Amino acid sequence: MANAPRSARIDLNNATTEELEGGKLQEGGALGAAKAGRPAGGGEIGDMRALEQIMGLILLDLAAAEAYRVAIDACKTPEIKRQLEAFQGDHERHARELSDALGASLPDEPDDRGQCIRRYTELSAREERTALVAMRGNEELTNDAYASALASDLPDAVRRMVEANWQDERRHIRWITEEIRTRGWELPEVPSSLAEAA
Ligand SMILES: [Fe+2]
Ligand SMILES: [Fe+2]
């Protein structure tokens, strides 16, 4: 076990419960180190829930980065593009740091939720106003996911990382909300393709 090859790193998209419970994902990662220090039994469920939460955050951060890419394409104002690019970079960094903490590789493909987020953003983000409104919705998702991860039983090192990332998420949603407000873009809008389908 101590000599597990690097190929023991697994794809988060295809991780099975057996792999997770077998500790394959955790070798070398902060979660694995934390688990190793715990007595058998009591901490198991907390560890599994923490793993699932962190894997969910990684996939959500990747989906958010992809949604920012779509939104940036819909924007023209340099100041807005610059800001959204910085937020996109934060999400990419979060995904990298969290997967390093797990000792896992980044997934290559978005999960179902990630695909929905990208599709929603493609349909909604027709120009700057709708791009920002769509990203505000996406940021509500990431902010909620971080808050709920923090409510679970996380090892200290991972908790510090998730808390720092959450501060980034709160900054993202504050900036977007304020930008929508000061530009007078608060009008609700249903994307035409969704309205037609309804
Ligand atoms: Fe994040
Ligand atoms: Fe964000």
Side-chain angles (χ1 to χ4, degrees):
M1 277 253 283
N3 297 321
R6 285 185 67 79
S7 62
R9 291 165 76 95
I10 62 173
D11 174 0
L12 290 179
N13 272 337
N14 299 313
T16 63
T17 307
E18 289 72 27
E19 282 175 318
L20 296 176
E21 283 173 346
K24 198 172 172 186
L25 183 62
Q26 302 169 352
E27 288 175 22
L31 281 173
K35 184 176 179 177
R38 291 191 180 200
E44 295 284 319
I45 290 171
D47 288 340
M48 278 305 297
R49 280 202 48 219
L51 266 177
E52 283 166 11
Q53 293 271 8
I54 301 303
M55 286 167 55
L57 287 185
I58 291 169
L59 286 162
L60 192 52
D61 268 318
L62 290 174
E66 179 64 13
Y68 271 111
R69 189 189 59 73
V70 173
I72 289 163
D73 283 348
C75 293
K76 292 196 174 67
T77 306
E79 181 205 340
I80 293 178
K81 279 175 105 69
R82 252 200 319 278
Q83 197 63 67
L84 298 189
E85 281 162 5
F87 296 167
Q88 180 188 26
D90 286 337
H91 282 281
E92 288 167 350
R93 177 173 50 78
H94 293 174
R96 266 198 318 273
E97 288 175 353
L98 290 171
S99 60
D100 283 351
L102 292 188
S105 315
L106 281 178
D108 299 326
E109 298 286 332
D111 61 349
D112 289 349
R113 183 175 57 170
Q115 287 176 19
C116 282
I117 289 170
R118 184 178 61 199
R119 194 77 192 111
Y120 160 74
T121 311
E122 285 169 350
L123 288 171
S124 310
R126 298 305 173 103
E127 32 71 37
E128 274 172 338
R129 182 174 75 80
T130 49
L132 285 189
V133 170
M135 289 316 300
R136 180 176 58 185
N138 291 334
E139 284 290 354
E140 281 166 3
L141 281 180
T142 45
N143 274 266
D144 287 353
Y146 270 92
S148 110
L150 285 169
S152 71
D153 180 21
L154 301 176
D156 289 346
V158 175
R159 173 172 295 278
R160 277 194 296 276
M161 193 178 287
V162 172
E163 271 169 357
N165 292 357
W166 188 41
Q167 295 306 319
D168 289 336
E169 302 304 351
R170 295 177 68 184
R171 180 167 49 77
H172 299 170
I173 200 166
R174 265 203 312 270
W175 186 88
I176 293 172
T177 301
E178 186 60 12
E179 197 69 9
I180 289 171
R181 193 186 66 75
T182 56
R183 290 180 186 267
W185 286 350
E186 197 46 82
L187 288 175
E189 184 183 64
V190 177
S192 58
S193 49
L194 286 182
E196 280 158 21

Short mmCIF file of all heavy atoms in Angstrom, two decimals, residues 135-157:
data_model
loop_
_atom_site.label_atom_id
_atom_site.label_comp_id
_atom_site.label_asym_id
_atom_site.label_seq_id
_atom_site.Cartn_x
_atom_site.Cartn_y
_atom_site.Cartn_z
N MET A 135 -24.60 34.37 -14.85
CA MET A 135 -23.49 34.03 -13.94
C MET A 135 -23.85 34.27 -12.48
O MET A 135 -23.33 33.60 -11.60
CB MET A 135 -22.21 34.79 -14.32
CG MET A 135 -21.56 34.32 -15.61
SD MET A 135 -21.46 32.51 -15.82
CE MET A 135 -20.47 32.03 -14.40
N ARG A 136 -24.76 35.23 -12.24
CA ARG A 136 -25.22 35.40 -10.86
C ARG A 136 -25.93 34.12 -10.41
O ARG A 136 -25.73 33.63 -9.29
CB ARG A 136 -26.16 36.60 -10.74
CG ARG A 136 -26.66 36.81 -9.30
CD ARG A 136 -27.51 38.05 -9.18
NE ARG A 136 -28.67 38.00 -10.08
CZ ARG A 136 -29.53 39.00 -10.25
NH1 ARG A 136 -29.36 40.13 -9.59
NH2 ARG A 136 -30.54 38.87 -11.08
N GLY A 137 -26.77 33.54 -11.29
CA GLY A 137 -27.45 32.29 -10.96
C GLY A 137 -26.44 31.16 -10.72
O GLY A 137 -26.56 30.39 -9.76
N ASN A 138 -25.43 31.09 -11.58
CA ASN A 138 -24.41 30.05 -11.40
C ASN A 138 -23.63 30.25 -10.11
O ASN A 138 -23.28 29.27 -9.42
CB ASN A 138 -23.45 30.05 -12.60
CG ASN A 138 -24.12 29.57 -13.87
OD1 ASN A 138 -25.08 28.80 -13.81
ND2 ASN A 138 -23.63 30.01 -15.01
N GLU A 139 -23.36 31.50 -9.77
CA GLU A 139 -22.63 31.76 -8.52
C GLU A 139 -23.48 31.44 -7.29
O GLU A 139 -22.94 31.09 -6.25
CB GLU A 139 -22.14 33.21 -8.47
CG GLU A 139 -20.93 33.49 -9.36
CD GLU A 139 -19.66 32.83 -8.84
OE1 GLU A 139 -19.67 32.25 -7.74
OE2 GLU A 139 -18.63 32.88 -9.56
N GLU A 140 -24.80 31.57 -7.42
CA GLU A 140 -25.65 31.17 -6.29
C GLU A 140 -25.46 29.67 -6.02
O GLU A 140 -25.37 29.24 -4.87
CB GLU A 140 -27.12 31.49 -6.59
CG GLU A 140 -27.44 32.96 -6.37
CD GLU A 140 -28.79 33.40 -6.95
OE1 GLU A 140 -29.51 32.53 -7.49
OE2 GLU A 140 -29.08 34.60 -6.87
N LEU A 141 -25.35 28.90 -7.10
CA LEU A 141 -25.11 27.45 -6.95
C LEU A 141 -23.77 27.18 -6.27
O LEU A 141 -23.69 26.36 -5.34
CB LEU A 141 -25.07 26.77 -8.32
CG LEU A 141 -26.38 26.45 -9.03
CD1 LEU A 141 -26.06 25.79 -10.37
CD2 LEU A 141 -27.22 25.53 -8.17
N THR A 142 -22.70 27.83 -6.75
CA THR A 142 -21.38 27.54 -6.16
C THR A 142 -21.34 28.01 -4.71
O THR A 142 -20.81 27.31 -3.85
CB THR A 142 -20.22 28.18 -6.95
OG1 THR A 142 -20.55 29.51 -7.27
CG2 THR A 142 -19.92 27.43 -8.21
N ASN A 143 -21.91 29.19 -4.44
CA ASN A 143 -21.90 29.68 -3.06
C ASN A 143 -22.65 28.73 -2.13
O ASN A 143 -22.18 28.43 -1.03
CB ASN A 143 -22.51 31.10 -3.00
CG ASN A 143 -21.46 32.18 -3.29
OD1 ASN A 143 -20.87 32.72 -2.37
ND2 ASN A 143 -21.22 32.45 -4.55
N ASP A 144 -23.81 28.22 -2.58
CA ASP A 144 -24.57 27.27 -1.76
C ASP A 144 -23.79 25.98 -1.54
O ASP A 144 -23.79 25.41 -0.45
CB ASP A 144 -25.92 26.94 -2.43
CG ASP A 144 -26.90 28.10 -2.33
OD1 ASP A 144 -26.58 29.08 -1.63
OD2 ASP A 144 -27.96 28.02 -2.97
N ALA A 145 -23.13 25.51 -2.61
CA ALA A 145 -22.39 24.24 -2.50
C ALA A 145 -21.23 24.37 -1.51
O ALA A 145 -20.96 23.46 -0.72
CB ALA A 145 -21.88 23.81 -3.87
N TYR A 146 -20.52 25.52 -1.56
CA TYR A 146 -19.42 25.73 -0.62
C TYR A 146 -19.94 25.81 0.82
O TYR A 146 -19.36 25.23 1.73
CB TYR A 146 -18.63 27.00 -0.97
CG TYR A 146 -17.49 26.72 -1.91
CD1 TYR A 146 -17.64 26.82 -3.28
CD2 TYR A 146 -16.26 26.33 -1.41
CE1 TYR A 146 -16.60 26.55 -4.14
CE2 TYR A 146 -15.20 26.06 -2.27
CZ TYR A 146 -15.38 26.17 -3.63
OH TYR A 146 -14.34 25.89 -4.47
N ALA A 147 -21.06 26.52 0.98
CA ALA A 147 -21.63 26.65 2.33
C ALA A 147 -22.02 25.28 2.85
O ALA A 147 -21.77 24.96 4.02
CB ALA A 147 -22.83 27.60 2.30
N SER A 148 -22.59 24.44 2.00
CA SER A 148 -23.03 23.13 2.51
C SER A 148 -21.83 22.21 2.75
O SER A 148 -21.85 21.41 3.69
CB SER A 148 -24.12 22.55 1.59
OG SER A 148 -23.66 21.46 0.88
N ALA A 149 -20.77 22.35 1.94
CA ALA A 149 -19.55 21.56 2.21
C ALA A 149 -18.96 21.94 3.57
O ALA A 149 -18.49 21.09 4.33
CB ALA A 149 -18.53 21.76 1.11
N LEU A 150 -18.99 23.24 3.88
CA LEU A 150 -18.41 23.70 5.15
C LEU A 150 -19.22 23.21 6.35
O LEU A 150 -18.71 23.14 7.46
CB LEU A 150 -18.32 25.23 5.18
CG LEU A 150 -17.17 25.79 4.33
CD1 LEU A 150 -17.30 27.30 4.19
CD2 LEU A 150 -15.82 25.41 4.94
N ALA A 151 -20.49 22.87 6.11
CA ALA A 151 -21.33 22.35 7.19
C ALA A 151 -21.03 20.88 7.46
O ALA A 151 -21.51 20.32 8.44
CB ALA A 151 -22.80 22.53 6.84
N SER A 152 -20.23 20.22 6.59
CA SER A 152 -19.93 18.81 6.81
C SER A 152 -18.59 18.65 7.54
O SER A 152 -17.87 19.62 7.76
CB SER A 152 -19.96 18.03 5.49
OG SER A 152 -18.85 18.37 4.71
N ASP A 153 -18.27 17.42 7.87
CA ASP A 153 -17.11 17.10 8.70
C ASP A 153 -15.86 17.02 7.83
O ASP A 153 -15.56 15.99 7.25
CB ASP A 153 -17.41 15.75 9.39
CG ASP A 153 -16.27 15.32 10.27
OD1 ASP A 153 -15.47 16.19 10.67
OD2 ASP A 153 -16.19 14.12 10.57
N LEU A 154 -15.13 18.13 7.69
CA LEU A 154 -13.95 18.17 6.82
C LEU A 154 -12.68 18.15 7.64
O LEU A 154 -12.62 18.77 8.70
CB LEU A 154 -13.96 19.45 5.97
CG LEU A 154 -15.14 19.70 5.04
CD1 LEU A 154 -14.98 21.06 4.37
CD2 LEU A 154 -15.24 18.59 4.00
N PRO A 155 -11.63 17.47 7.13
CA PRO A 155 -10.32 17.57 7.79
C PRO A 155 -9.87 19.04 7.77
O PRO A 155 -10.20 19.77 6.84
CB PRO A 155 -9.41 16.74 6.88
CG PRO A 155 -10.32 15.90 6.06
CD PRO A 155 -11.62 16.62 5.95
N ASP A 156 -9.10 19.44 8.79
CA ASP A 156 -8.73 20.86 8.96
C ASP A 156 -8.10 21.48 7.71
O ASP A 156 -8.44 22.59 7.32
CB ASP A 156 -7.78 21.02 10.15
CG ASP A 156 -8.52 20.79 11.46
OD1 ASP A 156 -9.78 20.77 11.44
OD2 ASP A 156 -7.85 20.62 12.50
N ALA A 157 -7.16 20.75 7.09
CA ALA A 157 -6.44 21.32 5.95
C ALA A 157 -7.40 21.60 4.79
O ALA A 157 -7.30 22.63 4.11
CB ALA A 157 -5.33 20.36 5.50
#
